[in-house]
Amino acid sequence: MPLIPQPPPPAGGALLARLHAINAEYGYLPEEELRRAAEELGVPLSQVYSAATFYAAFSFQPRGRHTIHVCLGTACYIRGGEKLLEKLESTLGVRPGETTDDRAFTVETVHCVGSCSMSPVMRVDGDTYGRLRADLLPRILRKYREQEAGGVSDEGM
Amino acid sequence: MKVCSRSDLETLRAKGLSTLYPSRLKVSVGMATCGLATGAAAVYDTLRDEALQRELDLMLVATGCLGYCQQEPLVEVRMPGRDRVLYARMTADRARELIAALAEGNLPTEGALAIIPEEKEPPAGSKPAGGLPRLNELPFYARQRKIILRNCGLIDPTSIEEYIAQGGYEAMAHALLDLTPEQVIDEVLRAGLRGRGGAGFPTGRKWQVCHDAPGQPKYVICNGDEGDPGAYMDRTVLESDPHSVIEGLTIAGYAIGAHEGYIYVRDEYPLAVERVTQAVARAQELGLLGENILESGFDFNITIVRGAGAFVCGEETALISSIEGGLGEPRPKPPFPAISGLWGKPTVINNVKTLATVPVIINRGAGWYAAIGTENNAGTVVFSLVGRVANTGLVEVPLGLTLREMIEGIGGGGLNGKAVKAVQTGGPSGGCLPARLFDLPISYETLTQAGSIMGSGGMVVMDENTCMVDVARYFIGFTMAESCGKCTPCREGTHYMYEILTRIVEGKGTPEDLDLLEEVARWVKMASLCGLGQTAPNPVLSTLRYFHDEYEAHVEEKRCPAGVCRALIRLAIVPDLCNGCGLCRRECPAGAISGEKKKPHTINPELCTRCRICYDVCPVGAIEIVR
Ligand SMILES: Cc1cc2nc3c(=O)[nH]c(=O)nc-3n(C[C@H](O)[C@H](O)[C@H](O)COP(=O)(O)O)c2cc1C
Ligand code: SF4
Ligand code: SF4
Ligand code: FES
Ligand code: FES
């Protein structure tokens, strides 16, 4: 069976992949990068913007050095995910979507990270914490603060 | 090396067997996302460091998810020639003790959960050593039948050789070398496989339509978007056994005549993305993907697309538009993707579990598969059994098992011995079924008739501490946020339902609101464009149907029987029970609790936000929720 010649895919997930790459590098989507992406991929800037706003994974605001995702998926919700959020809000003094003044933490909510059997669950950067209770949070936050104090910076700017 | 023939597969198989069953000590740690969430990484590091220090020769492997997530972190030890022993709830300390014992040549049975027999079918009546039960005899596993999850937690997901050793890529070789595309389709059709993505459409029929459709090129897509919050089996399969999906997708491609496949993975699953990417690269390297696979003349390649956090992208037409670079917005059907899908070409889109099942059907035959489950509901389904249930985990059962066998038998009943009140299946598109219906056998039709759906397999258990009105509001809040906004009934209707439900949970609802809510729900169901909107009212309609008394308590008595809705409850400390430990005072995020050390504490209702954190932390149960 010979390979049937196929036209090059117009985008083939390329726009999404590009937005992911920018987001991974900067932690958010800076305007200049979006303009450049539009130019290089040959799509209108408006399309780039509408994709960037449509998907929850992207943000236009610079993030804190650590991003905390509190899971409010069904399993976590009915096992107290909101309590974790409330405790975080009061400990850090921020609401979901906001960043602490020292730019250490951005707090976000998410609908399921796929560890539902361990609910309630929270993710800090790439680390997932399961079977949580509000009173266990300060220790976890301290870990990331100490990491920074220890000179391990992942700021990358 | 390039795999060009069946005998090359045999070579890899031998290599896989040598790491699956090595002649030296082997320790495997479950390191899928759920294991990692409970400290599997620390266990792994301790095992490695401790073994190094004691100069213990051992093969340490990171495997995937065995399904019994409740018992994570799970560690499995295999001494050559002996039954494998599985240890549950591993900690760094216990890992240290384990290595010490192993270094002495002992295989401790203390604190072990079960053994996994070395022989597939041990002689009847025989008892394993050490008085431990066999894994498949534990109540959690006894009713399970693993087809989709066949390799999960047993093999190293980064090793294609171990997948091959378990019979992997044999079905692909059989299909490509011995069968025509029509024969493959016929086999899948006769097996009675129905799509595991939710709607249960016969997979063979879908393939047939696409096969017959005019237009080239054709495409196949694996839907790994798994948007149901509370379901995680697709993640598990992608993380723990990525090659089963790749093999299934390749067979699907061969059957319909596609040379390009896509695997669309949800953004919140970074490890799954990593594992599939690695697996695809490895298959390409070996020539199991690419040009002229196994010298059959068939070419096939796979591209991985990472989603970006939009529930509606799980809907097939939205997913296709998302791959094309547009917004993930659904479009009206027909035409169905099988006729006009990706870039307007005939496209088959199947769920992760559907595709992972295909190789087994090709290997064992349609008759074998069709005999599992019930008529019209053949085979097995995977559920994520979560929420307020004693044993949480991933469960694969033949269709036809009852909800009771599922929740009480496998799940072990409610959390902390509480009575289970309801179960939610199908996620935001599904409904809540009351305990009195638990004798229903699980099938696509029974669940739909009862007002829920099978969905992709989320099964969230609820007890007396779950408020059904709050749950309905939760789901409508979810679909409201996730509605793409393209059609008015869904966009406006979910908002309107959310407003009514908010009034009710705030104690401002009226009996008329209940009728209004039902009316709006019916309209949204009827008039929405895509499945998201059409199914969004299900959580509302099913709770109105089965838990009307809870709604009535909210609107008529302004009372939340489950003690959840903040406006309708009050927290109080029972002075006689409080020993003044001060824990609640420290944990209260509102600073609402005061009291002297060792004296009964009190809550200031003005400051209290009714978050119930204090209720959770009080070690002596001195805090009550007044409803
Ligand atoms: C709102 C919505 C969300 C969906 N989400 C998923 C999903 O996350 N995963 C999935 O496989 N199918 C999902 N589906 C179903 C798909 O549209 C499609 O039917 C399915 O991928 C087909 O695969 P199957 O035949 O193997 O089940 C969703 C449907 C709707 C309406
Ligand atoms: S319910 Fe929450 S806010 Fe109220 S007293 Fe308890 S901990 Fe504090
Ligand atoms: S936690 Fe319980 S015992 Fe301790 S002070 Fe609070 S109410 Fe009293
Ligand atoms: S619901 Fe929280 S991890 Fe799935
Ligand atoms: S906005 Fe998607 S169904 Fe209405």
Side-chain angles (χ1 to χ4, degrees), chain B residues 194-201 203 206 223-228 234 311-317 333 349-352 354-355 429 456 530-532 535:
Chain B
R194 297 173 64 172
R196 298 294 187 238
F201 191 82
T203 306
K206 191 187 277 189
N223 187 342
D225 200 44
E226 191 159 72
D228 172 359
D234 294 356
F311 171 69
V312 75
C313 282
E315 197 280 335
E316 50 196 18
T317 60
K333 291 184 279 192
I349 173 160
N350 275 130
N351 172 262
V352 168
T354 314
L355 292 170
S429 309
S456 67
C530 83
L532 189 151
T535 58

Side-chain angles (χ1 to χ4, degrees), chain A residues 71-77 111-117 119-121, chain B residues 229-232:
Chain A
C71 181
L72 294 180
T74 319
C76 291
Y77 181 78
H111 282 112
C112 193
V113 296
S115 303
C116 327
S117 51
S119 59
V121 170
Chain B
Y232 65 104

Side-chain angles (χ1 to χ4, degrees), chain B residues 29 31-32 61-65 151-160 162-163 236-243 271 275-276 278-279:
Chain B
V29 185
M31 301 263 270
V61 191
T63 54
C65 170
N151 295 322
C152 292
L154 297 177
I155 64 169
D156 172 358
T158 63
S159 163
I160 195 169
E162 292 193 3
Y163 176 69
T236 297
V237 175
L238 291 169
E239 281 178 7
S240 305
D241 194 18
H243 287 288
L271 186 59
R275 289 274 165 80
V276 219
Q278 193 261 357

Side-chain angles (χ1 to χ4, degrees), chain B residues 172 207 209-210 216 227 276 326 356 374 406 422 522 571 591 595 597 607 622:
Chain B
M172 184 181 90
W207 291 12
V209 171
C210 192
Q216 281 289 350
V276 219
T374 62
M406 185 80 191
R522 297 210 179 280
L571 277 287
K597 236 186 171 149
L607 295 177

Side-chain angles (χ1 to χ4, degrees), chain A residues 6 13 20 72 74 83 86 114, chain B residues 229 235 260 307 323 474 609 616:
Chain A
Q6 304 192 5
H20 272 303
L72 294 180
T74 319
K83 297 176 192 168
E86 194 148 342
Chain B
R235 164 184 79 64
E260 254 186 82
I323 295 183
Y474 166 83
T609 63
D616 287 351

